[in-house]
Structures are given as C-alpha cells and as structure tokens.
Amino acid sequence: MLHNKMNKCAQAVKMSLLIGVATCALPVLAQDQAQVAQEEKVEVIEIRGIRASQEANINAKRFSGAVVDVVTAEDIGKFPDKNVAESLSRITGVSVTRGFGEGEKIAVRGTDPAQNRTLLNGASVASADWFVLDNPSRAFNFTLLPSNLVSDLEVYKSPQADIQEGSLGGTVYLKTRKPLDLDANTVSLQVQNQYSDVSEEWDPQLSGLYSWKNDDENFGILVSLTKQDRTLAREGKEVLGFGRQEVDGEDYWAPRIIGDAFFQQERERETGLVSVQWRPSDQTDIVLNVLDTTLDANNINHNLYTFYNSGFVEDSAVIRGSGIVSGTANNVGSEFAIIDRISYSDAQSYDFEINHTLDSGSKITGKLGTTEAEGGTSRDRYHQFNGTYVTSSYDSGLNLSNYVTAGNLETQDDILGRTLDWMQEGSRVMTDKEDYAGLDYSFDVDHGLFNTIKTGVFYQDHTKAQKQDGIRFHWSSDAQHVDPVNGPYGTLKPGETNWANQVLGQYTFADFAGGDSYAYYPLMNRANSASIAFPAEAYGSPTARFLFLPNTWEVNEKIWAGYIKGDFSGDGVRGDMGVRLVKTQVESSGYNWDGDWVAASISMLDGYNLLAGAVDAANEGNWNVRYATVDHEYTDILPNLNIVFDVAEDTLLRFSAARVMSRPDYVNIANQQSTNTVTLTGSRGNPMLDPVRANQFDVAYEWYFNPSSLLAATFFHKDIKGSVLNTVTMETVYDEINDVDVQVAITEPANGLGGTAQGLELSYQQAIGDFGVITNYTYTDSDSDQARDAVNNPGSGLIIGSSKHMANLTGYYENDLFSARVSYNYRTEFYNGLSEFGSESYTDSFGQVDASLTYDMNEYVQFVFEAVNLLDEEMYQYHIDKERPTSIYKNGRRFTLGANLRF
C-alpha cells in the first residue's frame, strides 16, 4: 500500500463483522427537557416510503424549538438520494457544489461552504479531501459518507446555546440509528449496480445492516458495511488564468492558457459502522459508535495545453464585455500534460456518550471521542510532452484549432510523435484530527421564566496539517561533481549522469499510449509509464526527494466552550434563550526561510549544496530555514433567542435572534506560502486572522394544514463583520523548469469590511391522494462592503457561494406497490472564489433532474431504479462575464438498478 490506513482497530472490526448501517438519533449533546416534553406529544410514525418520510420531516420541523429543516430516510438504508448533499440541496436556503457530478459540499443562506458545520451524532467527523486541488478546509465533503448510514438529518439555521458554534450559515446534524430502537435480528440489504454514460461502465453498490438485541432489550449491537464503486470520467475545457491583452490601445481580459482535459478515476469506497448500546437501568443509556470509511480515488488527468500569453493577433480578437472570447495567436507553445495520481481519503471516528437521569429528574450527559482523517495524493507522477503551433485559434466555447504547419491541423499522429520533455513525482497529504469531551447538566424549575435550565462545557483539540514533497530525477548531487565542494554545479565526473538524461527526449508519446480512448486524443497507459519513465532503477539512480516548504504546515486549535440555556413555555408560546462563551487558541506552524524557497528546501538535503547555491547564488548559502509557530487567540460571546408563538392550532410564528461566528479556513491561517510559476500567481496564509462574525435574525410563518402538508415562509437577515479579503503584492520567485526568476502576484488574506446576507424562503408541500408535491424557493441577497477592483485585487467585493435564486420541485406518486419521484433542483450563478491560477471563477446557473422508481414485490423485497442528471446538464464556469468561460465540464448521467431486502 502506498498510504497508511489509520485506525487499525476500527478496520479490524469492520472487516470481521458483516454488513450494516447504523443510524439513529443519539441524544443530541444539546437536548433539553422542553424538547423532550414536546417530542412526547409527537405521534410515533413508522417511517417507510415517501409520504411517511415527508410526514416525519414536517412533524420534526413543527415541534422544533429553532428554525430547523429535516430530511428523514424512507426506510432502513434508503435515504431520498444516494448522496446526502443532494438531499440537503432540496431544503430551502441550502446550495450544493457538484465538481464531479455529485454533491460534494454544501452552503446555507449565501455563505461559503467553509462557514457551515456538519456534525455526526453531535460531534465532528474529521475529513481530508482526496483531490489534489482542494485545500484543507472546514467544509465537509459529503462524498465520503454513504447516505444509507443516515437515518435523518436536521439543518439548524438558527443556533441554540447547547449546539456547537462555528457556523455562519447553518449546522447540519446527521443522525444514525441505535440497536435498541430496532427489532432484534433486523437485516437490511441493498444490492445495486450503477451505470455512468461517460465512462460507459457498470459499478457495484452494496450495503447492508444487521441489528441485534437481547431478550431483555437492554443491550444491542448494530453493524453495517457499505461498498460503493464508481468509474468516473469527465470531459472538460479549461482556462488556466486570465491576463490583460491590449487591443487597439485598450486592455481586455484574455486567457493565458487553454486546456483540453480528460479526467478518469476509479473510486472505491468502503464504510463500516458499529453501534453498541447498553441500558443497565431505566435511568442510564450508554452508546458507543465506531465509524471507519476509506475511499480509494486513484485518477489520471490528461490536458492538452495551448499557451496564448504571446504572439496574439490583435485583428483576430472578438470582444464581448470586458474580455476577448475568440482570437488567434502565432508561434505558440503547447504542453500535453499527464498526471497519474494515487489518491485516497480515510476517516475514523470513535464516539462515546452516556445519558443518566437522576432520581430528582435532572439529566447528565457525558460525551467523549476522537476522530482522525488522512487524505490527498500519496504519489503524483507528472509527464510533459511539448509541442509548437504555427497558428492557434480558440472560439467562445474554448474549442481549439491548432496548426502544426500552415494549413495542417494537429492530428493524433502528431500528438503521438511528441517527445517526453519533463517528468517529476511528488505527494501532497492532508491530516485532520480532533479529540473532544463534553459534559451537560439539565434540570427542571417550577418558578420564574424558565421551566428547564441546561448548562454544559465542551472542549476540542483540533489539528489540521498538510505535507507536500517532490522527487526530482534530473538533479546532480555534490558527489557526482569533479569538485564536490566548490563546484561549479553541473561539471560532473566522467560517466556520471541522472535518470532524466536517460529518458527525456528519448521516448515519444507513442511509447506511453495504450488502451481505449474516450477523448479526441490518445490516452496514456499507466503500465507503459511505470516501465519507461518510473521503473525501480529510476529511484536507484541519483534522485532527490525534497520538502515543499511553502506547502508544509500545521494548525492546532484548542477550543473551550461553556453555555447556559433556559427553555420556557406558556399559554401559546414556547422557546429558549441562552448564551455560549467560547475561547479559541490557535497555533499555526510552518517553515520560514530567507531567499528562494526551492534553494532553501534543497539546502536541507544531504549532499546537494552545489545545487542549492546554483539555484539562489545571491543568497550565498544563508537560507536560515526554521520551523516557526505563530500564536493567536480570541474569545466570543454568543447569545441567542428562539421564540415560537402558536397563532392557531395548526399555525406557528417563529422569531429568532443570535450572534454567530465562523473561524477562518485553515489554509488562510496556515503559516505557509505557495506559488505557481506557470500562471505567475501565489498565496500566503495569515495566522492572525480573526473569525467572521454576524448578528442575525429570522422571522418565520408555518401553516400545517394537514399531517403531510405545509405552507411556510421565512425571512432571514445577517449583518456580517470581519469578512476575509485578499491583498496582492508582487514578489520574485525561482522557476525551476525554465531556470529563471519570475515576478509572481502573491495574495494574502486579511480581515476587512463585512457585508449583509438576507433573503426569503418559501416552502409548500402537500399529499393529494396517492400523489404529492414538494416545492420551495429561496431568494438571497448577499452584498460585500468591500470595494470592487477585479483588475488589481481579484475577488474583492464578492461573496463566495451565494446564488440569488434557488428552487426545488418534486412530484411523487405512491401506493402499496409502486412509488415514483421526479425532482428538479436549480440555482442561479454564483462566485466560486479565486482559482488556483489567481483568476475569479463563477459557476453559471445549473438545473438538474433526478428520478426514482420503486416496486415493492412484497414486504421483504423491493426493486429500485434511480437516475441522476437525466437531462445531461453540463457545468459551465466563467470569468466575470458569462461570455468568457473558464471551464466547461461534462459529467454525464448515472443510472442505478437493484434490489433492497429487509427481514
């Protein structure tokens, strides 16, 4: 194995036990007596089917104390969507990103995904993204968690004092089942197959659950195992950064590099969950949940780049808005870049909770746990095959016309004839770990304003880290030189060489190509690459593995929180008010150095002093590499109020007000710096950043005109302070491929002005006989107080992730034998943030149609068919103006067919 699977104990449990899903509502760390009293009034519903699920959702929303939306599984192991994020996107105010054709990260009410929290049974779950372009983030990636694990989820849009802080938009609370809530020897199996029309492959989707409890029904064990594979292929056209191009004396935005990309991936996800529950008495309930999930995400990306940063023909420019959308350049360079990656994401979690009721009726809840994750790319092999074009043109759809000679377009034979001009290897791995402990105490009072008081404390020790390194096959060690002390570098002893000299320029792409191709150009065969460019002898030859100092860092946060919360109820009114006090201590550690970072990194290697001096001769060997830690701390006082008025027997009016905060994203507070010498951009962290804070309020009207029907409207407003903005400076860095110093624009975050986010959420759902409709609409108006300067300060004055309009429409039919559902999810354009190339990136309006059909053969066997993205919508991203695309991706449609069994 090329990466370590963590948490060996959890894996042993997972592999030794059979199948299962554990999903049940562990008592929320913040559950109070008033909520319990309300829940005792709620009708117990056996949730099986679309209508029963919708009734459970409405019931939970109606009796909640806060502004909450709920999604409930339609049966054991059967969530409304295969992906939890897709189900969340059907809630008002919740948006989702779909980078590879399925829901990945969510945002609530016009906020950045990193400004929202996801908890599993009231606790954090560590996560580390597999994708090499994803920075370590606070946003949870929902592709790591199979939906069949979840029994129900709640989205808290207004906070309560006993719920963990850290969300500017909302908190997603996922719940899993407990064995004592199910019948003894409950078995649920799902055997399905999924087809992707881009990769043209079928992949297995297998999961199951077994739950046992003793005859006394005071001890039980629930076990689950899920295995889901996906052969993923994505076609795309990409722009790697925009620059300013002069046409007729005026500057316009124009693409620097255009790439024709084809991405392939083999995903293999295995998830195990064990839940052990013991009730030694009627007053005590003890639960241990163990989660282990592994995702192997090996991938290979081909990209045929064309460089338009020189030789542009001004007369060819087609200008729309502020940019050039079509044009021609002469004598341009090209790179056929292929990256073969071993990628993964593993996470484990141990969560222990004990609930005890004293004789007085008071309740004590203790929580203790740990969670850790590791992910990224453990091996990244880069190949570069260069070429030139006498003329190259692009149109508004990023379609290229590349001429290798006058009148002759590039052919597959031309690509196969390109020589291998560069090779390198590297890795980039992220880790995430949290230890936590909490204690809560609640008791009833029979005088004054409140009827229940709850107080508690919670401690978290959280560490997020990243390490990146690289292997170079063309560097010569000091020992290979005639004069190993004084140099000069490159004057080698007779017979000395390196692996790069033996392969670069010696092979063409025809030697690497092989297998079927779904792209218009031939694809590389991994085995050919391994035998030609990266055999064992390549690593036996003088090679150097060096640390990427700018991208190696660690952030530790120690968080102490305490709260007090009071629940009240009276004639036609109920609610809660409280305050949460939070102190955060930050230690941000990383490398600092003097001079050029590449030379500084090389200086840390044994026997490469001549090379380090050659890279940065001006520094005369004084790079002064040191590992430094920057300390920062801040304290937040977070009051909140939730009030529910019973206007009529079936009508509610809600009001909530609160102060909320969201900690800066990890990459922004990391003691780090990274640069890209191709696009001439870079970034630097700022460990002294403070949280983004907001004062917010909600007003909601809800009419429950029958058990499965709802009409609701909610107005929300957030006054945001301390939003993170970027500052830009120009700095000199070394370009190792071209052996020159270049000027790079470095962006650094800082707390600046704030902004506002306000809007309206409308919901309507109703069952009419065997039919039903669920629909909602969200309007969000997000504004930044920062001045807009797209040229000198990209990203300024913009809010990440906010769509002005979002809508959902679902129609369903259900009887005793059949159920069918068609859903449409839509959101308008939104700002993604700065791309890795320093350019503003936006995603255009996107609408997706999904469908499902279920046939119940009997009470034990159910056949299912599901379709995702039926209309085969493409993802279109652009730079400032819609006419100027940055990427166009085709993820295709997916179809699932199979059976569910329950005993």
Side-chain angles (χ1 to χ4, degrees), residues 42-63:
V42 178
E43 178 187 359
V44 177
I45 301 172
E46 181 184 355
I47 302 171
R48 195 168 187 182
I50 300 174
R51 184 177 290 102
S53 172
Q54 293 305 316
E55 290 182 359
N57 297 343
I58 289 175
N59 212 42
K61 179 180 178 68
R62 180 175 185 175
F63 290 99

Side-chain angles (χ1 to χ4, degrees), residues 199-221:
S199 65
E200 300 181 355
E201 296 286 346
W202 286 93
D203 296 303
Q205 311 280 299
L206 308 173
S207 65
L209 171 147
Y210 175 72
S211 183
W212 169 89
K213 61 184 175 182
N214 61 5
D215 292 339
D216 293 333
E217 298 190 352
N218 62 6
F219 182 77
I221 300 175

Side-chain angles (χ1 to χ4, degrees), residues 234-256:
R234 185 179 76 173
E235 302 169 350
K237 299 179 185 299
E238 304 171 333
V239 174
L240 280 69
F242 284 85
R244 304 295 280 175
Q245 174 66 50
E246 182 177 326
V247 176
D248 295 333
E250 294 189 25
D251 285 341
Y252 296 91
W253 291 111
R256 290 193 182 109

Side-chain angles (χ1 to χ4, degrees), residues 65-218:
V67 179
V68 176
D69 285 293
V70 181
V71 179
T72 306
E74 297 166 7
D75 200 349
I76 297 175
K78 190 177 188 298
F79 216 60
D81 296 274
K82 280 278 185 276
N83 179 284
V84 176
E86 298 289 353
S87 292
L88 283 165
S89 72
R90 308 191 196 286
I91 292 176
T92 56
V94 179
S95 57
V96 62
T97 62
R98 298 183 176 93
F100 289 90
E102 62 178 312
E104 293 181 353
K105 298 173 182 178
I106 66 100
V108 181
R109 291 179 168 178
T111 56
D112 188 314
Q115 295 174 331
N116 301 270
R117 294 202 63 192
T118 298
L119 305 176
L120 181 64
N121 296 322
S124 300
V125 176
S127 65
D129 291 330
W130 60 266
F131 190 39
V132 69
L133 297 183
D134 284 340
N135 287 313
S137 171
R138 296 184 190 273
F140 184 77
N141 191 330
F142 283 89
T143 61
L144 305 179
L145 191 69
S147 65
N148 58 289
L149 290 181
V150 181
S151 66
D152 62 284
L153 62 82
E154 300 166 336
V155 180
Y156 283 84
K157 299 175 181 177
S158 69
Q160 293 177 309
D162 49 1
I163 295 178
Q164 291 183 41
E165 77 294 331
S167 296
L168 200 68
T171 299
V172 179
Y173 193 113
L174 307 174
K175 301 179 183 179
T176 58
R177 301 183 191 273
K178 292 186 289 187
L180 296 187
D181 292 336
L182 299 176
D183 293 335
N185 299 313
T186 294
V187 176
S188 174
L189 302 173
Q190 291 81 42
V191 182
Q192 301 173 0
N193 221 8
Q194 185 179 88
Y195 176 78
S196 172
D197 69 349
V198 176
S199 65
E200 300 181 355
E201 296 286 346
W202 286 93
D203 296 303
Q205 311 280 299
L206 308 173
S207 65
L209 171 147
Y210 175 72
S211 183
W212 169 89
K213 61 184 175 182
N214 61 5
D215 292 339
D216 293 333
E217 298 190 352
N218 62 6

Side-chain angles (χ1 to χ4, degrees), residues 312-333:
F312 189 78
V313 181
E314 291 190 27
D315 292 343
S316 71
V318 177
I319 299 171
R320 293 177 188 166
S322 61
I324 301 170
V325 299
S326 178
T328 299
N330 294 327
N331 302 315
V332 299

